[in-house]
Amino acid sequence: MMPKMSLCRFCYGTGGRKLSLWKVLFIVCVSLGIILLNQHWILPTYCPPVLGFCSSSFGSSSNLEASREKSKDDEHLYDFSAIISDDSDLVNFDRIQPTSMRTNTRDDRIVFLKTHRTGSSTLARIIKIHGYRHNLTFALPRTVRALNFLQTIKFNRDFIFHYPGVKGQKYDILTNNARYDHEEMEFVVPEAAFITILRKPEDEFESLFGYYEVPKRLELTEKRNPLEYFVDRIGYYHSLQRSYVDLFRNGQLFELGLDEELSLDSRNLFDHIKSLEDEFDLVLIQEYFDESLVLLRKLLKWKLEDFLYIPSRIRVDKDRYEMDDKLKAKIRTWNHGDVKLYEHFNKTLWWRIGQYGPRFSEDLVKFREMNSAAFERCVDHQESKIREEMFIPSENSVFCLDLFRSDHDWTKAIRRAMTDRFPEVS
């Protein structure tokens, strides 16, 4: 017959002596310590499968941390339904009609307002090659080593470098990155044709995200789709006010002179797009780059061969991100102002093509044949090792090297040429 177990049996040692309460607490603490030590050091080091079983079966601190992290992520999810996605009932943007090209411009005077990740570097290179070859005068940034004008505030005539030998002469071309101000730019380059280029907002957004390596900067590289994760929390990341995130909301409008807060108001947006329609002679569209160049050729009265190009600053595949229709819709909603801007000038582009006449298709085919021949002549089809350049030259002729010289390298060459042409007066 088994002896009856005392409820206080645990309080006695093997010798029958009663343990003190402090000794009991000590044993409990040591036991808990061993359990924690096993979980956080011994088991992870010497027996990971056991820890994995315990974690999956009974829960662990890592699961708790994951839960907390998920909860933290959910706090930053952005409510896209709070943004008006279609305000056509408030303002009818279709009322802005295309206008004919101005007749008081000169074919050797150009203001090109560059926009980020729209093909603008390729177009700037075309303009700089022409200006360099024809000895035209460029308005360049005041700081000698600067490649661009100050872009956080609107352009001012004081931003340019005044060559002593110019003696008050006006400039022919302004094409380095600057924030748009029509009056100030027109003062520097009078009687100029004003041009710029736009891109679908969702594609420009994705291009900015990859080009500026945002996943690395914000530690999102481990996310399944860093772009989708970023967009779903766009309000939070935008509020951080990082310089490389500034252009992620209506960035094309910002570069064209409209502050972000104003771009969110439909009436301000309408008025600004209307002003741009009146002030710009041609707005090119990146998705129809060749078509846009044919129109630009008619505006500037240049030869077709003056517009030959090799695409520049093309991202490698690792800096590209997939977008489904749902993600694109979120980006378009966030960039509602840029969407309205793009829609208007895309419509204007095709109106101008219609105005060009029946020769447009013929000129487009001819230009593409000429450009394809230049591409075949100058491009080595082996893969480039340079992050921003997909193509490398196949020959060292002046013709090919000019097409490959980067926008920044052209700025340096033009600055040297300007210094030689307009030396300091002794």
Side-chain angles (χ1 to χ4, degrees):
M1 182 176 177
M2 292 285 293
K4 289 183 178 181
M5 296 286 292
S6 167
L7 292 176
C8 295
R9 180 70 180 270
F10 177 73
C11 298
Y12 291 84
T14 55
R17 290 179 296 177
K18 188 174 182 178
L19 298 176
S20 69
L21 178 61
W22 294 111
K23 289 183 179 180
V24 172
L25 290 174
F26 174 76
I27 293 171
V28 170
C29 291
V30 170
S31 301
L32 290 173
I34 292 173
I35 292 171
L36 291 173
L37 189 63
N38 273 331
Q39 187 174 1
H40 293 283
W41 178 50
I42 298 175
L43 286 178
T45 305
Y46 299 106
C47 199
V50 176
L51 179 62
F53 172 77
C54 294
S55 298
S56 61
S57 302
F58 306 110
S60 67
S61 59
S62 61
N63 285 339
L64 181 60
E65 286 299 319
S67 177
R68 288 174 178 169
E69 193 66 29
K70 184 177 185 303
S71 176
K72 181 180 178 182
D73 282 349
D74 290 345
E75 287 179 8
H76 295 144
L77 287 175
Y78 188 77
D79 180 14
F80 287 90
S81 65
I83 302 177
I84 298 176
S85 58
D86 185 3
D87 54 6
S88 56
D89 292 338
L90 301 175
V91 176
N92 183 6
F93 286 86
D94 289 335
R95 288 170 44 212
I96 307 175
Q97 296 298 314
T99 55
S100 299
M101 294 180 182
R102 295 179 300 165
T103 58
N104 63 336
T105 61
R106 292 171 44 173
D107 53 15
D108 60 348
R109 293 271 177 91
I110 304 167
V111 171
F112 171 43
L113 199 289
K114 289 185 68 179
T115 47
H116 282 78
R117 308 309 301 165
T118 59
S120 64
S121 291
T122 301
L123 181 52
R125 182 160 60 187
I126 291 171
I127 295 171
K128 287 176 180 178
I129 290 174
H130 180 87
Y132 183 84
R133 289 174 178 172
H134 290 81
N135 219 30
L136 299 180
T137 306
F138 286 78
L140 296 175
R142 184 173 183 175
T143 304
V144 174
R145 294 187 178 181
L147 299 173
N148 299 307
F149 294 101
L150 185 63
Q151 300 168 66
T152 53
I153 60 176
K154 293 181 181 180
F155 178 83
N156 185 286
R157 67 191 70 179
D158 293 330
F159 290 176
I160 67 170
F161 183 86
H162 295 282
Y163 292 88
V166 172
K167 298 180 181 178
Q169 175 182 328
K170 297 297 183 180
Y171 293 87
D172 299 317
I173 296 177
L174 192 160
T175 188
N176 291 70
N177 282 95
R179 191 165 177 228
Y180 180 62
D181 185 296
H182 185 81
E183 183 177 344
E184 290 294 303
M185 290 178 169
E186 194 170 44
F187 177 86
V188 174
V189 189
E191 301 179 273
F194 276 71
I195 62 174
T196 188
I197 184 169
L198 302 176
R199 186 180 184 181
K200 279 185 179 179
E202 60 268 37
D203 294 332
E204 190 221 17
F205 188 101
E206 184 272 333
S207 184
L208 284 168
F209 186 81
Y211 179 77
Y212 288 110
E213 300 183 307
V214 175
K216 290 182 181 179
R217 295 171 182 262
L218 296 179
E219 300 180 351
L220 304 178
T221 54
E222 300 301 319
K223 303 300 181 183
R224 182 185 61 82
N225 185 335
L227 177 62
E228 182 179 25
Y229 185 92
F230 177 79
V231 171
D232 283 341
R233 295 153 185 83
I234 187 65
Y236 166 71
Y237 287 117
H238 192 64
S239 69
L240 298 180
Q241 298 182 333
R242 306 284 174 84
S243 59
Y244 49 86
V245 182
D246 286 346
L247 295 174
F248 280 94
R249 188 167 208 185
N250 297 330
Q252 294 177 84
L253 274 168
F254 179 82
E255 293 182 292
L256 285 166
L258 188 64
D259 291 339
E260 181 189 321
E261 59 271 18
L262 296 178
S263 73
L264 304 179
D265 180 86
S266 298
R267 299 194 184 282
N268 285 327
L269 179 60
F270 178 93
D271 291 342
H272 194 72
I273 294 176
K274 178 67 171 65
S275 294
L276 296 175
E277 173 62 51
D278 294 338
E279 294 166 357
F280 276 83
D281 297 281
L282 180 64
V283 175
L284 293 82
I285 299 295
Q286 189 262 2
E287 287 79 8
Y288 306 103
F289 193 69
D290 290 350
E291 290 87 344
S292 297
L293 290 181
V294 172
L295 290 178
L296 184 59
R297 177 249 183 183
K298 182 179 180 180
L299 171 67
L300 299 178
K301 304 178 182 66
W302 296 358
K303 299 176 182 178
L304 273 179
E305 52 263 36
D306 291 328
F307 293 93
L308 300 179
Y309 69 92
I310 303 295
S312 65
R313 308 192 82 174
I314 299 176
R315 292 170 297 146
V316 294
D317 289 342
K318 71 180 183 64
D319 290 329
R320 298 176 183 272
Y321 298 89
E322 293 183 2
M323 296 188 293
D324 57 21
D325 290 341
K326 184 178 179 181
L327 182 55
K328 289 180 181 179
K330 290 179 179 178
I331 295 173
R332 287 174 64 84
T333 299
W334 177 255
N335 288 277
H336 178 63
D338 271 1
V339 169
K340 291 299 182 184
L341 176 75
Y342 177 86
E343 288 177 346
H344 170 74
F345 283 107
N346 184 42
K347 177 181 68 176
T348 299
L349 178 84
W350 291 102
W351 179 84
R352 296 196 187 286
I353 289 173
Q355 294 290 308
Y356 190 101
R359 283 197 56 194
F360 180 83
S361 296
E362 180 183 334
D363 288 348
L364 179 61
V365 169
K366 183 179 179 181
F367 172 68
R368 283 178 168 166
E369 288 175 349
M370 294 171 62
N371 206 56
S372 293
F375 189 90
E376 288 301 316
R377 172 185 169 182
C378 295
V379 173
D380 188 325
H381 292 281
Q382 64 176 307
E383 184 177 353
S384 172
K385 303 299 181 183
I386 305 173
R387 175 177 175 255
E388 294 182 11
E389 300 295 345
M390 182 176 290
F391 309 113
I392 55 178
S394 60
E395 62 176 68
N396 292 325
S397 65
V398 173
F399 173 80
C400 290
L401 292 180
D402 279 354
L403 294 180
F404 271 94
R405 184 182 288 186
S406 72
D407 182 22
H408 289 167
D409 286 341
W410 271 115
T411 295
K412 295 173 184 176
I414 289 168
R415 193 181 287 278
R416 289 193 296 269
M418 292 280 291
T419 301
D420 292 340
R421 284 175 58 198
F422 303 107
E424 233 180 287
V425 180
S426 57

